[in-house]
Amino acid sequence: MKPLPVDEIAAAALAGLPGVGRATLRDLWKNHGSPECALGAVLAGAAGPALRRWADLDDWPERCRPDVVAARLARHRVRVLLPDQADWPIPPDLADAPALLFTRGSAYEALQRPAVAIVGTRAASPHGLADAHELASHATRAGYVVVSGLALGIDAAAHRGALDAGGLTVGVVATGPDVTYPRRHDLLYAAVHRQGLTLGEEGFGAGPLEWRFPVRNRLIAALAAVVVVVEAHERGGALDTATHAVGLGRPLLVVPGSRRNPAASGTNALLRDGATPLLDPTDLLVALERACHTPQRYAISAPIPVSATGSPHAEAASAPQSGPQRSAAARTILAACHGEAATIDELVTRSGLGTAEVSGALRELERVGAVERRHGRIWPR
Amino acid sequence: MLASIPSATVVGVDGHLVHVEVHVAPGLPAYDLVGLPDASGRESRERVRAAFASSGLEWPLRRITVNLAPAALRKTGSGLDAAIACGVLLASGQLPEHSLRDTGVVGELGLDGSLRRVPGVLAIVACLARHGVRRVVVPAEAAREAALAGSVEVLPAATLTEAVTCLRGEWPWPTAPEADPTQPFVSADGVDLADVRGLAVARTALAASAAGGHHLLLVGPPGAGKTMLARRLPTILAPLDHAHALEVTRVHSAAGLASGDHLVTTPPFRAPHHGASAPALIGGGVSRIRPGEITLASRGVLFLDELGEFAPSVLDALRQPLEDGSVLVCRSGSSVELPAHFVLVACANPCPCGRAPDRCRCSEAHRAKYRNRLSAPLLDRFDLRLYVDQPSPSDPPGPGSAEVRARVAEAVARQRARYTNFPFERNAQLPAPLLGELAPLGSDAAAELHDIALVRRLSGRGTARIHKVARTLADLDGAAAIEAAHIAAASELRSDVL
């Protein structure tokens, strides 16, 4: 392994000091020219008053020792990106830009391609999860990178959609590069590291503190050419990302939902406030093409052609129609669902069939994945 | 002179034989009571002496020693007063030598010489009968209860004087009242199943639980009608048969819950609050082991509302009794086996705020924590698990309690007939290896069950549970064979609710 650049080690060392935030770091970069010089100045005690406080800390020179920091970076296979580097992914239009990024993963080309952010609530309905997965795989097949927040629910479904379609995905995290949050996303983190990367501005060991998530959300919006909100509650981080998207002038696409679906209350409110409705995966592809009207600028190496039918547009239009022959009872039940979640009692009442018949029809539909049972309800896909 | 009178003390919910030995010897007047009585037993000396004076009997001014044998068993309560009094009378020659042959004595003495009832008369008399005692002197007010034990002659006496007079043969014993075998059916608080609108599937589950003895878990948002539904379960339970009624009466009398004047034929329905401790639920206590709620609910229903609010350790303590139908409560002093053949009916909210999936505001971590309070092994014990959603006001009301109760009673009778030669009597207790023999499936039904197991990815145990519930649904329908429709309907009664 080639030795890590000195600037990156110095930047990571300074970012690891307690109480040193991106504003302090940006000042250091500005005042001293490079992180290496900044670290030298800090060690010599010549840095600004903000850093003096930490001079009392017993072990702080120890924490800043380049070999210790370098070993830590190498152990976790973490790379540090700095604003003056050629592959710095944050566009210059982001106010309050990070002073450095900790990245981890194997596919750095993901940061050079046009990306779509797909975000939403953690407590998503099966409809929302299916939508996020589907949109992510369509975007992936059209050659775009999927950016999301590695949270439960919509975020995870979006990452999985990209991974399943064989594409690249970027997880923007609010924690340190060595922290997995939520813990149950262990495998998803590993898959993202293999087929993309995770990226965040917090140093080693930074835990999932509440204030870090809104700060992280601005990066998601900044990294993407288009932001999609699939399902969101009226209060939540997804709406925060939407606000950042509007602030940065990124096109905001929102998937409409039923007024009975509480997970769609926030997205429907966004639509009322003027966001663009996303009615079909094609809408997303059109918006992406329009947003990246000069795709050459990003030098797409090769769009990943996974779809057998060729154009993702054609596939999106034709996919849901074809299906196996269904029994009369199954058709009745699907019609009785009206495309929304229903309890079995409701289906019995609406269809006029007996419980046993409804049960059999549901099983037929479950087998082909046309409906899903969750929270004691039946959800048509 | 020495006298030995058989009596009994209540240990747990069963009687335990105690021989009251009284020795009256020349010497300075003294009274010693040995053989581990509790505080109320030690106080018997004052009650017995006062009762002697009030009844015009002579208290022997000699050295009196009373031993409660076996000496190592801890005796509880005041039920041995009358036996001690009779022992003193016999040992001091105030009663003829053979007047108490094969005769047990039970009851507490009042200072005026009256004979009072104690909890657990039925358990005590049944124990005496089991040990070959032919006649038992009981307080007159408990004569009906004692008569329930059968196979023993009940000698009722209202006062010590009356007992002595009759024992001396100076007066005939009053005739013992007949055991009252029935108790009129009382609908709990006048509620009826017809009050519930909609919830057809949940109502089927309730009937299946009442008929087949299947444990039932209802999950749903507050106000959906879970508790309303569960509270109506007592109105559709089949009455107890004689053996079970006797058992329940004995337990309830020993626990001081029922007077015991009537045979309890209505299955018990116990609904402890979720603050209950493990000993309160399972049984326990320090000096005296008291039956817990599961024993009081034996042969009936234990209803746990807000299951998620019970301490997880308390809930997991239920697992073994659920499996065995009894619980062995052990303390350093003693251990007692208590019956616990109950059907567990529980209600729970789907998440801490109770509004899932619609308006839930709980974080995923909160919900996971809530789910983890209910251990998977406990959830697995529920044959019937379903999600109850708020019915709409336009839903039609279902059949009333009387109609459902009749179907349940028929289903129970059918199961009893089928399982006469087996050590169980409800479909829920059917062991999996006997399913093929006792609940055979036709080819249609077997194919349906196989298909369900495949689509729902059920384990062998999950499949067996659907099989058993299908047997109950067939019994409720009066069908001899399990049909495919029963299997399909049964599969809807066991979903992943949390």
Side-chain angles (χ1 to χ4, degrees):
Chain A
M1 199 173 164
K2 66 177 182 192
L4 290 163
V6 182
D7 264 349
E8 292 184 18
I9 296 169
L14 286 170
L17 287 176
V20 175
R22 57 183 177 281
T24 313
L25 290 175
R26 275 197 309 258
D27 281 350
L28 284 171
W29 297 178
K30 202 169 78 192
N31 296 341
H32 299 279
S34 77
E36 190 190 356
C37 301
L39 179 62
V42 169
L43 287 173
L51 282 166
R52 291 252 170 73
R53 288 184 284 149
W54 303 108
D56 299 338
L57 214 68
D58 288 345
D59 63 337
W60 77 272
E62 183 67 20
R63 287 180 192 223
C64 293
R65 258 174 54 188
D67 54 333
V68 173
V69 176
R72 203 166 190 189
L73 288 170
R75 187 164 68 246
H76 293 287
R77 298 167 185 283
V78 172
R79 232 195 94 189
V80 176
L81 298 185
L82 291 168
D84 57 352
Q85 289 170 344
D87 54 356
W88 177 250
I90 305 295
D93 56 351
L94 177 67
D96 194 19
L100 81 172
L101 290 172
F102 289 93
T103 60
R104 191 174 167 188
S106 49
Y108 280 84
E109 68 265 34
L111 294 178
Q112 305 308 316
R113 288 195 185 167
V116 54
I118 300 179
V119 296
T121 177
R122 286 173 291 173
S125 74
H127 289 161
L129 297 177
D131 279 348
H133 192 278
E134 193 181 342
L135 290 172
S137 59
H138 280 306
T140 302
R141 285 170 193 174
Y144 298 97
V145 173
V146 173
V147 176
S148 195
L150 275 167
L152 297 168
I154 298 292
D155 284 14
H159 285 300
R160 291 206 178 94
L163 294 169
D164 291 349
L168 300 177
T169 183
V170 174
V172 183
V173 298
T175 56
D178 54 338
V179 177
T180 301
Y181 178 82
R183 288 289 295 278
R184 75 182 82 160
H185 275 174
D186 250 1
L187 292 176
L188 184 62
Y189 264 72
V192 170
H193 287 149
R194 268 196 311 278
Q195 232 171 296
L197 48 88
T198 60
L199 167 158
E201 55 181 316
E202 300 297 336
F204 282 100
L209 301 185
E210 212 171 316
W211 57 267
R212 287 192 172 133
F213 290 88
V215 174
R216 176 273 311 260
N217 289 342
R218 81 192 198 287
L219 294 184
I220 296 182
L223 285 170
V226 170
V227 174
V228 179
V229 185
V230 176
E231 264 185 348
H233 286 93
E234 268 163 296
R235 289 163 49 201
L239 295 197
D240 187 45
T241 310
T243 310
H244 285 300
V246 173
L248 286 165
R250 303 285 189 274
L252 176 65
L253 269 64
V254 173
V255 180
S258 158
R259 76 175 175 82
R260 289 169 183 276
N261 179 2
S265 56
T267 37
N268 285 346
L270 283 176
L271 289 170
R272 184 185 54 205
D273 295 348
T276 313
L278 195 163
L279 303 178
D280 186 279
T282 318
D283 292 349
L284 172 59
L285 299 173
V286 169
L288 275 167
E289 243 164 60
R290 203 178 288 163
C292 319
H293 47 86
T294 50
Q296 291 75 13
R297 200 182 72 185
Y298 294 94
I300 292 181
S301 46
I304 306 162
V306 179
S307 163
T309 50
S311 160
H313 299 226
E315 195 206 34
S318 69
Q321 267 75 31
S322 64
Q325 287 297 308
R326 294 199 174 123
S327 70
R331 286 200 302 272
T332 312
I333 290 302
L334 267 190
C337 280
H338 301 307
E340 282 193 28
T343 65
I344 184 145
D345 279 331
E346 284 167 340
L347 292 181
V348 168
T349 315
R350 288 181 201 163
S351 67
L353 301 173
T355 308
E357 276 176 288
V358 173
S359 173
L362 283 176
R363 213 167 332 116
E364 180 186 333
L365 293 168
E366 267 178 277
R367 193 179 302 124
V368 295
V371 300
E372 188 184 336
R373 284 173 193 265
R374 215 167 135 185
H375 295 312
R377 297 194 184 179
I378 290 103
W379 300 74
R381 298 296 292 267
Chain B
M1 270 276 291
L2 179 72
S4 172
I5 314 285
S7 188
T9 186
V10 176
V11 178
V13 295
D14 284 311
H16 202 289
L17 188 68
V18 172
H19 282 285
V20 177
E21 298 172 340
V22 181
H23 187 242
V24 177
L28 282 176
Y31 179 90
D32 286 303
L33 178 61
V34 297
L36 290 185
D38 65 357
S40 59
R42 272 194 299 280
E43 289 155 6
S44 69
R45 159 203 181 137
E46 311 305 332
R47 285 192 298 272
V48 174
R49 199 143 50 176
F52 265 59
S54 306
S55 310
L57 298 162
E58 182 202 339
W59 185 254
L61 289 174
R62 278 177 282 172
R63 185 177 180 79
I64 305 170
T65 311
V66 179
N67 178 34
L68 310 176
L73 177 77
R74 236 170 240 290
K75 326 297 181 300
T76 51
S78 51
L80 299 171
D81 285 3
I84 293 173
C86 288
V88 172
L89 289 169
L90 197 64
S92 61
Q94 296 181 70
L95 276 177
E97 214 169 311
H98 299 300
S99 58
L100 277 161
R101 182 201 294 261
D102 291 337
T103 306
V105 181
V106 184
E108 176 188 307
L109 284 177
L111 299 186
D112 57 353
S114 60
L115 217 50
R116 292 180 181 154
R117 87 184 305 163
V118 288
V121 166
L122 176 55
I124 291 169
V125 174
C127 161
L128 288 169
R130 216 166 45 238
H131 285 90
V133 171
R134 290 192 291 108
R135 312 191 302 163
V136 182
V137 178
V138 299
E141 52 187 359
R144 259 177 199 280
E145 179 179 349
L148 289 173
S151 75
V152 67
E153 189 185 344
V154 174
L155 309 175
T159 60
L160 184 59
T161 320
E162 189 179 344
V164 169
T165 316
C166 298
L167 282 170
R168 283 179 182 154
E170 293 165 1
W171 201 259
W173 286 100
T175 45
E178 286 291 305
D180 180 4
T182 52
Q183 189 191 32
F185 183 83
V186 194
S187 162
D189 317 328
V191 296
D192 194 284
L193 203 54
D195 307 340
V196 182
R197 288 185 167 273
L199 304 179
V201 175
R203 260 180 298 151
T204 312
L206 201 68
S209 173
H214 303 283
H215 304 304
L216 168 65
L217 173 64
L218 298 170
V219 176
K226 307 181 296 285
T227 307
M228 187 180 182
L229 207 58
R231 289 269 172 201
R232 277 150 185 78
L233 182 57
T235 67
I236 61 165
L237 290 172
L240 297 168
D241 65 3
H242 186 74
H244 290 166
L246 211 54
E247 180 188 323
V248 171
T249 312
R250 185 162 54 79
V251 168
H252 284 204
S253 156
L257 275 186
S259 70
D261 284 347
H262 302 279
L263 199 57
V264 179
T265 52
T266 314
F269 182 84
R270 304 287 301 176
H273 183 257
H274 55 69
S277 66
L281 222 51
I282 305 304
V286 182
S287 61
R288 175 184 174 194
I289 294 182
R290 290 180 53 83
E293 288 296 328
I294 59 168
T295 300
L296 300 179
S298 191
R299 304 295 173 193
V301 174
L302 179 70
F303 172 49
L304 303 183
D305 205 355
E306 306 295 353
L307 192 68
E309 303 301 326
F310 280 84
S313 60
V314 171
L315 292 181
D316 282 326
L318 288 175
R319 276 153 52 183
Q320 179 265 327
L322 275 171
E323 207 70 358
D324 299 346
S326 68
V327 61
L328 187 66
V329 178
C330 299
R331 291 294 181 268
S332 55
S334 56
S335 61
V336 176
E337 184 155 15
L338 299 168
H341 297 277
F342 61 97
V343 173
L344 180 59
V345 176
C347 294
N349 289 330
C351 64
C353 81
R355 287 173 295 202
D358 279 1
R359 288 169 300 281
C360 177
R361 285 276 178 277
C362 307
S363 73
E364 184 56 35
H366 260 100
R367 248 174 290 163
K369 198 171 158 197
Y370 186 77
R371 274 196 303 267
N372 290 343
R373 289 176 72 89
L374 308 176
S375 70
L378 178 71
L379 287 178
D380 194 57
R381 301 286 194 286
F382 291 98
D383 286 359
L384 304 167
R385 295 190 301 221
L386 59 159
Y387 205 93
V388 180
D389 222 328
Q390 194 121 29
S392 81
S394 62
D395 282 335
S401 290
E403 186 187 335
V404 180
R405 186 166 66 241
R407 280 174 59 213
V408 167
E410 277 171 39
V412 169
R414 237 170 251 123
Q415 293 170 62
R416 275 199 196 118
R418 184 164 53 228
Y419 304 137
T420 28
N421 300 326
F422 295 91
F424 48 85
E425 45 197 40
R426 298 293 189 93
N427 291 333
Q429 296 145 12
L430 198 54
L434 293 179
L435 270 173
E437 180 190 337
L438 290 167
L441 294 179
S443 58
D444 274 4
E448 185 86 350
L449 186 57
H450 182 72
D451 190 46
I452 288 167
L454 216 60
V455 172
R456 303 266 296 269
R457 296 192 195 89
L458 294 178
S459 66
R461 185 149 55 170
T463 315
R465 287 180 190 257
I466 288 181
H467 190 160
K468 287 186 216 177
V469 173
R471 183 60 261 177
T472 301
L473 294 181
D475 284 330
L476 279 168
D477 274 0
I482 303 174
E483 285 151 26
H486 295 135
I487 296 275
S491 76
E492 292 302 327
L493 303 183
R494 187 177 160 87
S495 50
D496 295 318
V497 284
L498 284 174

